[in-house]
Amino acid sequence: MSAKDSMAKEYFADNARFADLCNNILYGGREVILPENLKERDTTEVLTALGLDKKTIAMQKMRDIFKNASIKYTGKSYVVLIGVENQSDIHYAIPVKNMFYDVMAYGNQVKETAKKHRKEKDTATSDEFLSGFTKEDKLIPVITITVYLGTKEWDGPRKLSDMFGDVDEELLPFIPDYRINLLAPREITDFTGFRTSIRQLFEVLKNAYDKEKMQEVLQNDEKFSKVDRETVEAINLFAGTDIDIDGKEEVIDMCKAWEDQKNEGRELGREEGRELGERQKIISQIVKKLQKDKSVAEIADDLEEKEEVIAPIYEAALSMKPDYDVEKIYELLEKNKKLA
């Protein structure tokens, strides 16, 4: 399992974040699903069936996160099974992948119900006995949410029919479709409905491709002044940032960390510029003296430098006689340095 997969599972498995995620995609941000009403379920989906040779075939799939949600809404109580599949990259067969998870979850419900009826011997008709399911039995709805944690635009399929080629239009009504529930940060236009720090994660992912927009987001949203450590670590991993995290800090001021990092970058750039200027200056001085046929020892004495410093520059410059292009000599020295 990759570092991104592990972090995504751990990060969204937190009940507060999981509820926040579900409320936004399922209820438009209204606080309907509560963290305390979520219960962890086994993420392993195993479904068995008889093959043509009457031997049992077992299929097993591992979901990323799977929870039982008890929902009290509009005066009624509901139970729903909700799975989250995290994608750090675009999956071009995601409808089939998610559909398979859902089919297995429903299949297991039917299987467990049939097992219960066999044990209690309470089926009333032969049809119910053969089905393992009675007219009164009900399935618990299964919802799978795909969370895309990449910084590119999602250009993958959003439903099963997106994966078809040309199909006779008369046949379409007879072909069941399957739509994915996709949450892609680049497509979010309003982040105010999020109540946890996944808001900051998604805002950064939305703007990670544009440093100016990232700067604007960090400066204008005070929520970035207090971001929990786990979210900053997730931002660094998924958005490719390098926000400095102090070993003892549990809450990080991302605005300040971003500004400090930018200032360090400017200072590093200035320092590198100074080093480049000084390096090219000494190359230029050596070239002028080389053109006067001075030896390495004489040039070292004139410039008050050690001969081992002058020698490689002297040799590089000599190899480019008679042009003595300072920038090309510098590039050759840098290349030789890497090869050394």
Side-chain angles (χ1 to χ4, degrees), residues 112-126:
E112 290 303 312
T113 301
K115 187 188 295 184
K116 177 176 174 290
H117 287 312
R118 284 198 303 272
K119 182 179 179 181
E120 298 178 0
K121 298 180 180 180
D122 59 356
T123 49
T125 68
S126 59

Side-chain angles (χ1 to χ4, degrees), residues 115-240:
K115 187 188 295 184
K116 177 176 174 290
H117 287 312
R118 284 198 303 272
K119 182 179 179 181
E120 298 178 0
K121 298 180 180 180
D122 59 356
T123 49
T125 68
S126 59
D127 292 334
E128 289 182 343
F129 177 79
L130 290 171
S131 303
F133 212 76
T134 72
K135 287 192 293 185
E136 287 74 29
D137 289 328
K138 303 298 177 187
L139 292 170
I140 300 174
V142 179
I143 298 171
T144 297
I145 298 170
T146 298
V147 181
Y148 174 51
L149 297 166
T151 57
K152 298 187 298 183
E153 293 274 4
W154 177 273
D155 63 356
R158 295 169 186 264
K159 55 186 185 295
L160 186 64
S161 57
D162 289 343
M163 299 176 64
F164 297 157
D166 291 334
V167 179
D168 184 344
E169 288 191 9
E170 289 189 59
L171 296 179
L172 287 176
F174 304 97
I175 303 173
D177 208 346
Y178 177 91
R179 176 181 57 83
I180 67 170
N181 303 302
L182 177 69
L183 195 155
R186 286 283 292 271
E187 298 173 3
I188 299 173
T189 56
D190 183 4
F191 293 89
T192 57
F194 291 102
R195 290 175 167 80
T196 67
S197 54
I198 60 175
R199 168 179 173 170
Q200 286 91 309
L201 170 61
F202 289 159
E203 280 199 81
V204 170
L205 286 174
K206 179 183 176 73
N207 297 286
Y209 71 99
D210 189 323
K211 287 187 178 180
E212 287 186 9
K213 285 188 177 180
M214 178 89 82
Q215 177 72 20
E216 185 180 337
V217 166
L218 292 174
Q219 285 179 336
N220 296 336
D221 191 341
E222 62 179 17
K223 289 185 178 293
F224 280 98
S225 63
K226 293 181 180 179
V227 186
D228 64 272
R229 183 190 188 88
E230 286 181 337
T231 298
V232 177
E233 289 174 347
I235 287 171
N236 279 342
L237 184 60
F238 293 112

Side-chain angles (χ1 to χ4, degrees), residues 285-286 288-308 310-311 314:
Q285 290 173 333
I286 292 171
K288 287 178 182 177
K289 294 183 180 296
L290 176 58
Q291 288 173 322
K292 295 179 181 179
D293 296 324
K294 289 199 172 187
S295 66
V296 171
E298 290 173 322
I299 296 173
D301 187 54
D302 287 348
L303 299 179
E304 297 182 348
E305 276 286 0
K306 295 179 180 177
E307 287 189 30
E308 53 263 37
I310 300 299
Y314 180 93

